Amino acid sequence: MLGKLRKSVAKLPFHESNLALKQVKCDACIEENGVCKCDNGGIQGMVMTEDAADQQARSGNSSFLHAVLNMSGMLIGLGQLSTPFALENGGWGSVFLLVGLGFICTYTSHVLGKCLDKNPKSESFADIGENAFGRKGRVLTATFIYIEIFMALVSYTISLHDNLITVLSGTQIKLPGVPNLHTSQLITVVAVLIALPSLWLRDLSSISFLSSGGILMSLVIFISVVCTAAFGSVEANHSIPFLHVKNIPAISGLYIYSYAGHFVFPNLYKAMKDPSKFTKVSIVSFAACTLLYTALAFLGAKMFGPEVNPQITLSLPRHHFITKIALWATVLTPMTKYALEFAPFAIQLENNLPDSLSSRMKLIIRGFVGSILLLVILSLALSVPYFEHVLSLTGSLVSVCICMTFPSAFYIKLSWPHISKPVLILNLFLIAFGSILGVLGTISSAKMLIKTLLRAHST
């Protein structure tokens, strides 16, 4: 009798088989009029076994270092390219906004970890939104996430295209049958196609090498700018104005985007072996990024003054070997970002697929959808190649909500019965501050983008 039941249990999924096997042993003991000697017998044993199995299923495999690399790699990227331009246009006083946003986003990252602690079954940013505000919260949160992913990838592809124009200046390539496609556009298409396979990767710990690559490329860019100032023909002797108040709304979007990435943090949290260290991971990652951004912002603004390009690498002297290194590093950076940016969408896509599909089929669907999406992004980036306006609009329209407004709102709702008055006031202030920055920044950056588009089409 016991043997037959064991065979039937073997057909069940892992956590169900553990639960059922406990019950089989206890039923066998009762049937044979024996005393149950099973460990943690009865219902209590079944509950403990199921909880242990669920805990095992939820446990991640990313170490503290992996988590820091993934978070830092997610944060460092386009933001550092635009900080010199933002500081020059906003004035050196705007650095307090840059550093302040770093502190705020570190706190909101910590808050997201607290929200995940309150409901361990939450797997994503959208799950937290649903726990806080129901189905409408999930839909709103997911919408903002997908918009940010889309616009961020458009910005990365614009940066890829702009730097390829410079690094391959003078090169002429023509594709038969497509005479209107320029050389830089053709090479951008090739670069994006090379990056496509990274969208098929599933395990966050397995793509930490991409994060490492992104961090390495960012350090190469920073070192290149420093070397240009120290050994090149450019002297860092420009004066930076104190403050341009009228430009703050527009440059706030660039600053906010520099810290964009919170929608991936729940996935990083779940991938950690020890999620209790998530706050420490956030502090280390945001501190490193803030120091890098601040140093590069002042150095770039001092070197080039009002002539600084929205992408600092495009301001460097083109004939220098160091500049070529920086340009290639900027070209490679977007190619290391596609997989990390796409991860939340891909995970949600797989979760929505029928359970009857095999893992291989889910992987194929995931990769196919990601490939089509990236090709659409490529087309848009080549059609609207205005880096600073798209990046600023992304930061003000969606990043400020995901980095500041949503985490604080989630935390207030989920902690409402027990939240202290000072913490409540702090989070309400962050919601109000983020909303004001978002509205003013969106209006300003949208106006400038529309003006640029009209001017381009009129010529």
Side-chain angles (χ1 to χ4, degrees), residues 38-321:
C38 301
D39 295 335
N40 304 316
I43 297 176
Q44 182 180 1
M46 289 188 287
V47 173
M48 292 179 66
T49 306
E50 186 177 30
D51 290 343
D54 287 341
Q55 181 65 32
Q56 180 176 349
R58 291 194 301 265
S59 61
N61 57 3
S62 292
S63 64
F64 181 87
L65 179 59
H66 271 156
V68 170
L69 289 176
N70 281 332
M71 184 175 289
S72 300
M74 186 69 203
L75 295 172
I76 298 177
L78 294 181
Q80 70 165 350
L81 297 180
S82 62
T83 49
F85 175 83
L87 187 72
E88 172 62 32
N89 283 271
W92 66 262
S94 68
V95 74
F96 293 105
L97 177 61
L98 174 63
V99 176
L101 288 172
F103 278 105
I104 290 173
C105 291
T106 304
Y107 172 75
T108 53
S109 177
H110 161 74
V111 160
L112 282 178
K114 292 295 184 182
C115 292
L116 290 167
D117 288 339
K118 292 181 180 298
N119 193 335
K121 292 183 179 180
S122 297
E123 298 286 343
S124 65
F125 200 88
D127 288 343
I128 301 175
E130 184 172 17
N131 292 335
F133 298 103
R135 184 64 183 174
K136 292 181 180 179
R138 169 177 283 277
V139 172
L140 180 64
T141 303
T143 301
F144 272 77
I145 289 173
Y146 297 149
I147 292 174
E148 180 169 57
I149 291 174
F150 186 82
M151 295 181 71
L153 291 177
V154 169
S155 300
Y156 275 116
T157 309
I158 294 174
S159 175
L160 177 66
H161 171 260
D162 290 348
N163 283 273
L164 279 174
I165 292 176
T166 304
V167 78
L168 297 175
S169 59
T171 304
Q172 294 294 328
I173 301 176
K174 291 295 181 182
L175 188 66
V178 194
N180 295 328
L181 206 58
H182 298 296
T183 299
S184 61
Q185 294 174 323
L186 285 172
I187 298 175
T188 303
V189 171
V190 173
V192 170
L193 291 176
I194 292 173
L196 275 181
S198 66
L199 300 183
W200 293 65
L201 297 174
R202 301 181 67 180
D203 187 6
L204 281 177
S205 64
S206 70
I207 62 175
S208 61
F209 74 94
L210 292 177
S211 300
S212 303
I215 295 171
L216 178 61
M217 293 302 102
S218 298
L219 291 176
V220 168
I221 294 170
F222 177 74
I223 293 172
S224 299
V225 175
V226 172
C227 289
T228 300
F231 309 111
S233 57
V234 181
E235 296 183 4
N237 57 3
H238 286 273
S239 60
I240 305 173
F242 170 63
L243 195 65
H244 291 307
V245 177
K246 65 177 182 179
N247 293 335
I248 294 299
I251 63 118
S252 67
L254 297 176
Y255 283 157
I256 292 169
Y257 183 83
S258 300
Y259 299 109
H262 285 58
F263 62 88
V264 176
F265 293 173
N267 304 117
L268 300 181
Y269 177 97
K270 289 295 181 180
M272 291 182 63
K273 290 180 181 177
D274 185 4
S276 65
K277 296 181 179 179
F278 180 76
T279 297
K280 292 181 180 179
V281 169
S282 300
I283 293 173
V284 171
S285 301
F286 276 97
C289 292
T290 302
L291 288 173
L292 178 66
Y293 294 155
T294 304
L296 189 60
F298 274 104
L299 185 58
K302 290 288 289 182
M303 288 173 63
F304 302 106
E307 302 301 320
V308 66
N309 194 281
Q311 300 180 68
I312 184 62
T313 52
L314 299 180
S315 293
L316 301 177
R318 297 190 179 187
H319 60 281
H320 286 176
F321 177 71

Side-chain angles (χ1 to χ4, degrees), residues 101 104 140 144 249 252 256 395-409 426-444:
L101 288 172
I104 290 173
L140 180 64
F144 272 77
S252 67
I256 292 169
S396 298
L397 180 63
V398 289
S399 297
V400 68
C401 294
I402 294 177
C403 295
M404 295 174 58
T405 309
F406 287 174
S408 291
L426 172 61
N427 283 275
L428 288 174
F429 169 77
L430 294 181
I431 293 173
F433 181 62
S435 299
I436 293 171
L437 278 185
V439 171
L440 296 179
T442 298
I443 294 173
S444 177

Side-chain angles (χ1 to χ4, degrees), residues 337-405:
K337 295 289 185 178
Y338 288 131
L340 273 177
E341 292 278 356
F342 182 68
F345 174 78
I347 292 172
Q348 188 63 37
L349 175 64
E350 284 198 34
N351 290 338
N352 289 334
L353 293 175
D355 295 334
S356 57
L357 293 178
S358 64
S359 297
R360 181 180 179 84
M361 181 55 65
K362 289 183 178 181
L363 178 61
I364 292 174
I365 295 175
R366 166 196 175 121
F368 178 76
V369 172
S371 301
I372 296 298
L373 179 62
L374 194 54
L375 293 178
V376 172
I377 287 168
L378 171 63
S379 301
L380 184 59
L382 295 179
S383 304
V384 190
Y386 307 114
F387 176 81
E388 67 275 24
H389 301 321
V390 174
L391 196 67
S392 179
L393 182 61
T394 304
S396 298
L397 180 63
V398 289
S399 297
V400 68
C401 294
I402 294 177
C403 295
M404 295 174 58
T405 309

